Amino acid sequence: EVQLVESGGDLVQAGGSLRLSCAASGFAFDDYAIGWFRLAPGKEREVVSCISSSDGTTYYADSVKGRFTISSDNAKNTVYLQMNSLKPEDTGVYYCAAAGPGVGVAWDAADFGSWGQGTQVTVSS
């Protein structure tokens, strides 16, 4: 059974940092891309970042470039999203998702077949 479990969401002040974790199980982690998406009230779901577990290629949305860093620990089947210089507009439910097998980095939600339940990130001004 494919499972993706997010953790690390919290309430933080603007300018602060958080690290989200996505623990994966039930599939060949090394052959998948893992992405982070977010859903904010009144907005459509948007991709935040993605990493290819096979070669480490990364993708970032323009809105988070230079502030967020995605990384993968293949030994632990876990992907991290380090979020620095957080802004109120980063508020939302953050989901991790898996695309594969054999998928490199991706950013279209339709490419991701498995999703976690999400973790809430709230950035106060």
Side-chain angles (χ1 to χ4, degrees):
E1 177 187 5
V2 174
Q3 277 198 321
L4 297 165
V5 180
E6 304 95 334
S7 62
D10 206 343
L11 170 64
V12 63
Q13 289 190 332
S17 298
L18 284 175
R19 189 178 80 156
L20 305 183
S21 299
C22 173
S25 62
F27 61 97
F29 183 83
D30 291 358
D31 201 26
Y32 277 66
I34 304 295
W36 285 97
F37 293 77
R38 66 187 179 193
L39 182 62
K43 296 185 179 180
E44 293 186 354
R45 179 177 54 188
E46 62 175 342
V47 64
V48 174
S49 183
C50 181
I51 187 167
S52 168
S53 297
S54 62
D55 65 9
T57 303
T58 58
Y59 167 86
Y60 295 95
D62 288 343
S63 59
V64 306
K65 281 180 181 176
R67 300 189 297 122
F68 291 10
T69 303
I70 192 170
S71 61
S72 178
D73 185 339
N74 287 23
K76 296 182 178 181
N77 284 7
T78 300
V79 169
Y80 303 98
L81 185 68
Q82 178 67 42
M83 306 187 295
N84 298 329
S85 303
L86 283 161
K87 305 175 181 180
E89 51 264 44
D90 294 318
T91 294
V93 179
Y94 282 67
Y95 299 89
C96 68
V103 174
V105 68
W107 48 86
D108 187 337
D111 291 328
F112 293 80
S114 299
W115 293 77
Q117 293 186 325
T119 185
Q120 177 70 45
V121 172
T122 303
V123 185
S124 63
S125 57

